[in-house]
Amino acid sequence: MTSLRSTPSQTVGPFLHIGLIRDDGPFAVPAETPGAVWIRGRVLDGAGTAIDDAMVETWQVDPGSDESSCGRRGFARSDTRSGSYGIYTVVPGPVGEGEQAPHLDMSVFARGLLHRVVTRVYFPEHAERHPSDPVLATVPPERRDTLIAVRDGDGYLFDVRLQGDRETVFFDV
């Protein structure tokens, strides 16, 4: 009798972005939107090497609205084939009754991951709201900076470190 091996579990990628990335994918807002910015970054592995076959999705509350008032949620998707991702959006408004600081929700899909990882991107100009954000308050103080974008040129820089030194904080959703 022949013994059968179990089927290995499947990881995300490496071609997960095929059919998922469109030309307008990185645009959460139209190109000429007043106040729009780029959020750019790399998805880094444990050795600090940029992953060139990952996909990043973001979604957010529009400025001037919040989830409780059914504000449209901006959505964008970018691959990392060039070594980095880029999302064109506006800095979001506060969430809920204003208790959550403005932030983007971000999912990262990459080879070797069994499931997407989920994080948040907070903005430095809202630092006064960070201490009262109920989600950010659950993060150890010494790791909170892994969730805060850095102002850079025409927007922000936010690298996602999947593991290792200064690993980005991920949330179990």
Side-chain angles (χ1 to χ4, degrees), residues 3-173:
S3 171
L4 298 176
R5 295 183 312 154
S6 63
T7 304
S9 61
Q10 180 64 33
T11 64
V12 174
F15 306 108
L16 68 115
H17 59 275
I18 295 175
L20 295 176
I21 300 296
R22 300 181 324 263
D23 289 341
D24 66 346
F27 292 89
V29 296
E32 302 303 320
T33 301
V37 295
W38 281 99
I39 298 174
R40 295 183 177 101
R42 299 169 299 160
V43 177
L44 304 167
D45 66 15
T49 303
I51 298 172
D52 64 1
D53 60 357
M55 185 176 69
V56 173
E57 285 183 352
T58 63
W59 59 103
Q60 70 190 68
V61 172
D62 284 343
S65 68
D66 61 44
E67 281 183 330
S68 64
S69 65
C70 299
R72 185 183 68 81
R73 292 179 61 86
F75 173 80
R77 182 182 282 157
S78 176
D79 64 47
T80 61
R81 285 181 275 185
S82 66
S84 63
Y85 71 87
I87 300 291
Y88 190 73
T89 190
V90 292
V91 174
V95 178
E97 300 294 320
E99 68 272 3
Q100 292 186 41
H103 66 275
L104 297 175
D105 293 317
M106 177 182 282
S107 287
V108 178
F109 302 83
R111 62 182 143 85
L113 296 177
L114 294 175
H115 303 283
R116 69 182 175 139
V117 292
V118 178
T119 191
R120 284 183 166 197
V121 181
Y122 288 90
F123 298 89
E125 62 268 24
H126 296 290
E128 75 285 350
R129 297 184 76 135
H130 295 169
S132 62
D133 183 283
V135 175
L136 196 54
T138 67
V139 176
E142 67 276 7
R143 299 209 45 222
R144 290 181 188 155
D145 66 329
T146 70
L147 299 177
I148 301 171
V150 175
R151 196 80 164 117
D152 184 54
D154 60 351
Y156 297 88
L157 177 64
F158 186 79
D159 286 341
V160 177
R161 298 174 190 280
L162 294 177
Q163 59 184 202
D165 187 40
R166 299 200 23 78
E167 176 183 334
T168 301
V169 171
F170 300 109
F171 299 96
D172 187 15
V173 294

